[in-house]
């Protein structure tokens, strides 16, 4: 229910894992790596200038507010959007664009908290009922008024079988209009994450007339949008560019920037376009892109909280089947070394399997819990950690066969794989690395047969909701992402209880408890958190720098630095 | 004449049909499962969901049935919908083909003018330092792979000097020329040596023929000899080579497109292959094969016009 969508762009290296991105990077023909390493600017190996210090990276949710108007901003995406119908194709390039055009019932704020939005007010008369009041005075981009009927139609479309967001509605027993501006949603059991889903793609309100009129073509180039946001879709020239324009009759604050023109490029072409001023900004999906631009004089970089993380995902095969060996690996892994040599210091050693961006509430409690987990997942292992790890291996008995580490050839993953092998060897466990092409790598995540030959995957993951509980169901004994076959009835009970607990404080308590059990059993081994990186021309400012850029109208806050 | 035309057309169609089957089968034989991509997120990939997706997209049917379905649709001008983009394949290809075509045409103009020019120069100044310089420089140019040339050109003329844009394909005639100059040059460099070498050799061979010696003996001016007798007779191999190189380029633009952030069919194809977007990969490959056949057939058709001897032999 609350798993991530396919990590649309993994934060590792130029040759990405996710199929959508792999597309270009791969050009298969070693173009990616050679281009990136060459003199063209995407200098991912030398990582221009002094690398950031991973431990001291400051994460801010926003950039300084903009002061002045702007006629046009040129923005880069790492790929062309697949579609602007997020119910059918939920790629991140499309989301970065569409979040400025479409609005949701709730809104994810730059600080990753969630607030009612197109649903002006929300009531919960009991734990299984959610009553939403639809905001008055909102018009779609075709001028028609947004009604409660439109909202209901949109929710039913999201919930329809085969739609990307249908799994968010698994708990819903009924959705009805109960007043001129009122909707009532009833649940089979309390659902703590539902309103968070309404801040994501499951909460988009479509204009049914436009969607129906476009039919199968809805969301493809040449079609009008069907939303009510601060920008409207002006033009999408397939294969060339996509332009959005401020919507004159917008109900909320009008944006400072009149037009945003999106183009797409990958690797060195993206880096060069920013460096030469051909583009004004991008949300860099790979930390290495940001690293390559650290020296550029006309650009500034901002790092913000995100839910993304680098993780080692063990399988039930081979030596890492034993939790003691997994714990030993976690103790002996040099996370700081990985961050510095694989990612230019732009990722942070981390002890939990989700990034700090997931803390949409009860932040101090989650921060304290994460810190406590650091004992089992040190940034740099001390002599004591290594001694403890060796002891664990000795007690459990070192496995006979070498541990097979599955990776692709991207720079970041290669470093993680080598660090993992080094850590294992240091504690007396033999290991070998198996490198596969990006498209095949992505299949490791989904196909148990594909990962048949590996003991641990150099993985990455993010969740779409700012609630760590959106992650921990991956450890349930019946979850398809629980590859090691972790079975703990107490854990299962905790997760189910937390998912049904609407009270934030209580849910946070249950979540940190589940998290402790998950990390103790080393179901996955956390490596680092991957912040969002915003690269922006020094003339511009305003947009959020957190992962909220996927769900928040970031362009509406973009403007000139000086008035 | 009409019979020959029909025969040629039939040959082209048979080649296309065979090519289409090979392409279709090859795309299917590629490792990896499109259903994994089609099913969406990593968390949704239950075996049931995958089976359902396979059924929905007819991926569970035998290859022959799928090919038949595809061919039938193609004959009705329906190339299907992209798995990745929900758009029509024909729209996707139509939007990207002009960029690739412009790029190839521009590169062709460059390598024909520079390559043939250098070859003529080398042949005329045979065994002088000019000859050696042409051979040396073009060999050097050819030994640089196009992606290395692309990196060097973009970093020097794009990033350092700022003379040329580093991404996109530009608008209007001048804009397009401005944007495509560096990519076209990277693409053309590799062809230069080949074309100049073929030109030089064809000219040298033609110059050695008896009628040239006769013309020279009867006092025809040298310039006239080169133009009317040597170059004219050498044109056959030169045009053939230029045609082949150009046709080959239609399928080889991907590296340059990636380096310069151009959305052409080369990058569309690689993206489609990586995401197992069968309908797009098949359509683009078929288009490339068709392009190749059209160009080589055109060269074949031009041949008799250039050299009447070819016509005699054939008829």
């Amino acid at each position: 229910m609350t798993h991530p969508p396919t990590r649309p762009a993994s934060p590792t290296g130029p040759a990405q894992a996710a199929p959508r991105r792999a597309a270009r990077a791969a050009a298969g023909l070693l173009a990616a790596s050679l281009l990136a390493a060459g003199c063209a600017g995407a200098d991912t190996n030398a990582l221009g200038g002094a690398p950031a210090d991973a431990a001291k990276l400051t994460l801010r949710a926003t950039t300084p507010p903009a002061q002045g108007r702007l006629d046009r901003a040129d923005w880069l995406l790492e790929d062309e959007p697949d579609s602007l119908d997020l119910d059918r194709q939920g790629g991140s390039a499309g989301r970065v664009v569409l979040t400025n055009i479409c609005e949701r019932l709730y809104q994810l704020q730059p600080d990753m908290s969630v607030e009612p939005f197109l649903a002006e007010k929300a009531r919960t008369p009991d734990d299984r009922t959610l009553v939403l009041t639809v905001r008055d005075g909102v018009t779609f981009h075709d001028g028609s008024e947004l009604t409660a009927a439109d909202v209901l139609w949109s929710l039913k479309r999201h919930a329809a079988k085969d739609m990307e967001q249908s799994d968010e509605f698994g708990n819903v027993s009924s959705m009805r209009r109960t007043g001129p501006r009122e909707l009532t949603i009833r649940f089979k059991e309390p659902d703590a994450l539902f309103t968070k889903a309404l801040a994501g793609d499951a909460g988009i309100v479509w204009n049914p007339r436009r969607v129906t009129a476009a039919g199968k073509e809805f969301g493809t180039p040449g079609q009008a949008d069907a939303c009510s946001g601060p920008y409207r879709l002006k033009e999408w020239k397939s294969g060339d560019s996509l332009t959005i324009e401020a919507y004159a009759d917008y109900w909320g604050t009008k944006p400072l920037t009149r037009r945003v023109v999106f183009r797409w490029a990958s690797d060195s072409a993206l880096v060069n376009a920013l460096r030469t001023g051909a583009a004004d900004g991008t949300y860099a999906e790979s930390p290495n892109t940001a690293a390559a631009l650290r020296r550029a004089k006309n650009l500034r970089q901002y790092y913000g909280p995100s839910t993304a993380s680098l993780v080692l995902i063990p399988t039930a095969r081979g030596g890492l089947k034993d939790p003691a060996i997994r714990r030993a690996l976690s103790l002996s892994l040099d996370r700081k070394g990985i961050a510095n040599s694989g990612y230019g210091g732009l990722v942070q050693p981390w002890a939990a399997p989700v990034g700090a961006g997931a803390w949409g509430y009860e932040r101090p409690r989650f921060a304290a819990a994460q810190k406590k987990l650091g004992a089992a997942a040190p940034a740099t292992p001390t002599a004591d950690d290594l001694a403890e790890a060796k002891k664990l291996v000795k007690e459990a008995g070192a496995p006979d066969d070498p541990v097979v580490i599955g990776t692709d050839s991207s720079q970041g993953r290669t470093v993680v794989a080598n660090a993992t092998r080094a850590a294992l060897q240091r504690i007396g466990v033999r290991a070998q690395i198996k490198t596969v092409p990006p498209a095949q790598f992505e299949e490791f995540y989904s196909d148990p047969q594909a990962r048949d030959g590996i003991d641990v995957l150099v993985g990455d993951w993010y969740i779409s909701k700012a609630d760590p509980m959106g992650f921990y169901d991956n450890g349930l004994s019946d979850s398809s992402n629980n590859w090691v076959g972790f079975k703990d009835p107490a854990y299962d009970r905790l997760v189910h209880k937390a998912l049904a607990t609407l009270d934030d404080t209580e849910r946070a308590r249950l979540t940190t408890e589940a998290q402790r059990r998950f990390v103790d059993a080393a179901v996955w081994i956390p490596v680092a958190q991957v912040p969002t990186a915003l690269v922006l021309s020094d003339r511009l400012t305003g947009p959020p720098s957190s992962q909220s850029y996927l769900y928040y109208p970031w362009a509406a806050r973009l403007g000139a630095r000086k008035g | 004449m009409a019979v020959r035309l029909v025969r040629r057309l039939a040959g082209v169609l048979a080649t296309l049909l065979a090519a289409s089957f090979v392409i279709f089968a090859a795309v299917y034989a590629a490792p990896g499962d499109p259903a994994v991509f089609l099913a969406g997120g990593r968390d949704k990939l239950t075996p049931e969901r995958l089976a359902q997706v396979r059924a929905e997209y007819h991926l569970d049917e035998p290859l022959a049935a799928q090919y038949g379905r595809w061919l039938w649709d193609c004959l009705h001008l329906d190339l299907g919908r992209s798995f990745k983009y929900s758009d029509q394949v024909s729209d996707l290809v139509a939007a990207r083909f002009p960029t690739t075509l412009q790029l190839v045409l521009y590169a062709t103009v460059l390598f024909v003018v520079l390559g043939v020019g250098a070859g003529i120069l080398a042949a005329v100044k045979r065994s002088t330092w000019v000859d050696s310089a042409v051979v040396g420089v073009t060999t050097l140019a050819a030994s640089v792979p196009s992606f290395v040339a692309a990196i060097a050109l973009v970093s020097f003329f794009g990033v350092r000097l700022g003379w040329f844009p580093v991404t996109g394909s530009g608008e209007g005639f001048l804009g397009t020329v401005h944007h495509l100059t560096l990519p076209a040059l990277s693409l053309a460099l590799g062809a230069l040596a080949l074309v100049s070498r073929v030109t030089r050799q064809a000219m040298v061979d033609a110059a050695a023929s008896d009628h040239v010696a006769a013309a020279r003996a009867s006092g025809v001016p040298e310039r006239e000899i080169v133009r009317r007798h040597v170059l004219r007779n050498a044109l056959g191999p030169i045009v053939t080579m230029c045609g082949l190189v150009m046709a080959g380029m239609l399928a080889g633009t991907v590296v340059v497109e990636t380096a310069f952030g151009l959305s052409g069919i080369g990058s569309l194809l690689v993206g489609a292959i990586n995401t197992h977007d069968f309908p797009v990969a098949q359509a683009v490959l078929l288009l490339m094969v068709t392009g190749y056949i059209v160009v080589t057939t055109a060269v074949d058709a031009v041949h008799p016009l250039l050299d009447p001897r070819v016509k005699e032999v054939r008829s």
Side-chain angles (χ1 to χ4, degrees), chain B:
Chain B
M1 183 70 188
V3 174
R4 216 172 63 209
L5 209 68
V6 168
R7 201 187 296 157
R8 176 161 288 175
L9 202 64
V12 167
L13 287 178
T15 316
L16 271 180
L17 192 70
S20 75
F21 182 74
V22 171
I23 288 167
F24 195 88
V27 170
Y28 268 75
D33 186 351
V36 171
F37 177 77
L38 286 166
R42 289 171 184 175
D43 54 315
K44 293 177 184 156
L45 292 158
T46 55
E48 302 79 50
R49 171 89 182 120
L50 287 179
Q52 182 194 339
V53 165
R54 280 195 196 100
E56 190 183 330
Y57 288 85
H58 307 290
L59 295 169
D60 50 353
E61 292 174 10
L63 180 66
Q66 293 191 47
Y67 175 68
R69 185 191 303 279
W70 178 70
L71 195 64
W72 180 253
D73 288 343
C74 277
L75 292 175
H76 292 78
L77 300 179
D78 175 10
L79 292 171
R81 263 176 202 278
S82 161
F83 290 174
K84 179 183 179 204
Y85 306 96
S86 21
D87 210 357
Q88 302 270 7
V89 173
S90 48
D91 289 350
L92 287 172
V93 171
R96 285 158 182 78
F97 190 57
T99 302
T100 301
L101 197 63
Q102 284 162 353
L103 180 61
V104 169
L105 288 179
Y106 194 172
T108 304
V109 169
L110 288 179
F111 82 71
V112 168
V113 171
L114 300 177
V116 174
I120 292 174
L121 195 65
V124 172
K125 306 274 180 187
R126 198 176 161 205
S127 305
T128 64
W129 67 270
V130 178
D131 188 13
S132 321
V134 166
V135 171
V137 170
T138 53
T139 306
L140 189 72
S143 62
V144 179
S146 59
F147 68 88
V148 175
I151 291 171
L153 290 172
V154 82
S155 94
F156 191 70
F157 293 104
V159 178
R160 176 105 23 113
L161 297 176
W163 290 358
F164 291 97
V166 291
T167 47
S169 50
E171 274 165 36
F173 180 72
L174 287 179
T176 306
V177 168
H178 192 205
H179 275 79
L180 293 185
T181 296
L182 293 185
L185 203 57
S186 334
L187 206 55
L189 274 183
L192 277 182
L194 197 60
V195 170
S196 69
R197 208 67 68 77
V198 167
T199 306
R200 179 180 173 278
Q201 196 54 46
M203 297 264 298
V204 168
D205 290 348
S209 62
D210 294 344
H211 80 278
V212 171
R216 200 167 271 146
S218 55
V220 179
E222 188 62 21
R223 177 180 291 264
E224 192 83 337
I225 290 176
V226 170
R227 201 168 56 82
R228 287 195 45 194
H229 297 283
V230 181
L231 186 57
R232 181 115 195 254
N233 283 337
L235 267 184
I238 297 176
V239 169
T240 306
M241 184 46 70
C242 289
L244 284 175
V245 170
M246 182 198 170
M249 273 184 184
L250 281 171
T253 56
V254 60
V255 171
V256 170
E257 285 176 17
T258 309
F260 288 93
L262 300 171
S263 292
I265 54 165
S267 45
L268 184 67
L269 174 67
V270 171
I273 289 173
N274 276 324
T275 52
H276 306 302
D277 193 346
F278 288 2
V280 172
Q282 283 150 357
V284 173
L285 284 170
L286 197 62
L287 185 72
M288 284 175 169
V289 170
T290 312
Y292 195 91
I293 293 175
V294 166
V295 173
T296 47
T297 310
V299 168
D300 228 21
V302 167
H303 235 165
L305 304 179
L306 294 174
D307 189 348
R309 286 170 300 176
V310 176
K311 200 169 170 182
E312 280 161 25
V313 173
R314 294 218 175 144
S315 55

Side-chain angles (χ1 to χ4, degrees), chain A residues 79-418:
Chain A
D79 203 354
E80 179 168 9
D82 302 341
S83 160
L84 291 184
D85 179 358
L86 294 184
D87 278 337
R88 291 192 191 277
Q89 293 280 24
S92 80
R95 206 173 280 125
V96 175
V97 172
L98 204 73
T99 195
N100 297 298
I101 300 174
C102 291
E103 292 179 308
R104 297 165 163 100
L105 287 168
Y106 278 65
Q107 193 179 65
L108 183 66
Q109 303 301 307
D111 68 357
M112 303 298 281
S113 63
V114 165
E115 280 174 15
F117 195 63
L118 281 183
E120 201 171 13
K121 275 185 294 196
R123 284 186 299 123
T124 42
D126 60 70
D127 272 4
R128 292 165 195 241
T129 312
L130 177 67
V131 181
L132 300 175
T133 309
V134 177
R135 189 177 286 274
D136 206 1
V138 178
T139 55
F140 288 115
H141 296 150
D142 66 352
S144 66
E145 201 175 322
L146 183 149
T147 66
D150 299 337
V151 175
L152 185 63
W153 186 90
S154 303
L155 287 174
K156 288 197 163 149
R157 185 173 197 259
H158 301 312
K161 201 170 144 267
D162 291 346
M163 291 300 195
E164 288 271 334
Q165 299 296 320
S166 57
D167 52 348
E168 304 288 1
F169 294 83
N171 253 337
V172 172
S173 57
S174 73
M175 299 192 278
R176 276 178 304 122
R177 199 150 66 93
T178 46
R181 310 210 60 81
E182 198 183 85
L183 292 179
T184 303
I185 302 167
R186 305 253 325 137
F187 299 92
K188 289 179 227 161
E189 50 192 280
D191 190 335
L193 295 181
F194 189 74
T195 53
K196 300 195 182 211
L198 293 186
D201 296 342
I204 295 177
V205 178
W206 303 116
N207 177 345
R209 297 160 291 281
R210 274 284 164 90
V211 177
T212 319
K216 262 193 154 174
E217 301 293 334
F218 178 62
T220 64
Q223 299 294 319
D225 73 72
C227 293
S228 61
Y231 286 90
R232 60 182 198 87
L233 176 63
K234 179 142 193 295
E235 190 182 26
W236 179 4
K237 282 193 257 174
S238 174
D240 180 62
S241 63
L242 192 158
T243 306
I244 61 174
E245 188 178 60
Y247 170 48
D249 294 327
Y250 183 55
W251 62 274
T253 318
K254 304 233 175 4
L256 288 170
T257 299
R258 202 167 70 81
R259 265 186 312 158
V260 184
V261 180
F262 294 92
R263 290 180 192 277
W264 35 90
S266 57
D267 303 319
S268 65
L270 184 135
V271 167
N272 288 332
L274 286 160
R275 183 173 277 186
T276 56
D280 296 314
T282 191
Y283 284 102
E285 294 185 354
S286 147
N288 290 334
T289 304
L293 286 165
R294 273 180 84 77
R295 251 189 319 200
K297 286 196 188 72
N298 56 335
L299 301 169
R300 293 188 192 210
Q301 300 198 358
Y302 304 90
Y303 309 101
S306 135
T307 67
S309 62
L310 303 175
V311 283
L312 296 175
I313 314 181
T315 69
R317 197 197 91 118
L320 294 180
K321 198 166 56 186
D322 188 335
I325 309 277
R326 300 202 295 267
R327 270 200 290 271
L329 169 59
S330 180
L331 277 171
S332 55
L333 195 63
D334 182 3
R335 294 173 171 79
K336 192 158 175 233
I338 291 171
N340 286 338
S341 49
Y343 301 88
L346 297 183
V347 302
Q348 280 179 324
W350 205 241
V354 272
W359 305 339
Y361 57 99
E362 293 282 319
R363 222 158 292 160
R365 182 190 284 267
F366 288 125
Q370 197 277 143
K371 215 164 181 182
K372 233 167 136 186
L373 296 174
T380 313
T382 62
D384 287 350
D385 291 328
L386 290 176
E388 168 77 16
K390 280 181 192 153
K391 205 176 103 198
L392 282 166
V393 172
K394 203 168 171 198
E395 282 166 13
D400 304 331
D401 294 325
V403 168
V404 184
I405 304 162
T407 179
D408 67 13
S409 56
S410 63
Q411 186 199 340
R413 279 210 180 86
T414 307
V415 170
V416 179
N418 280 301

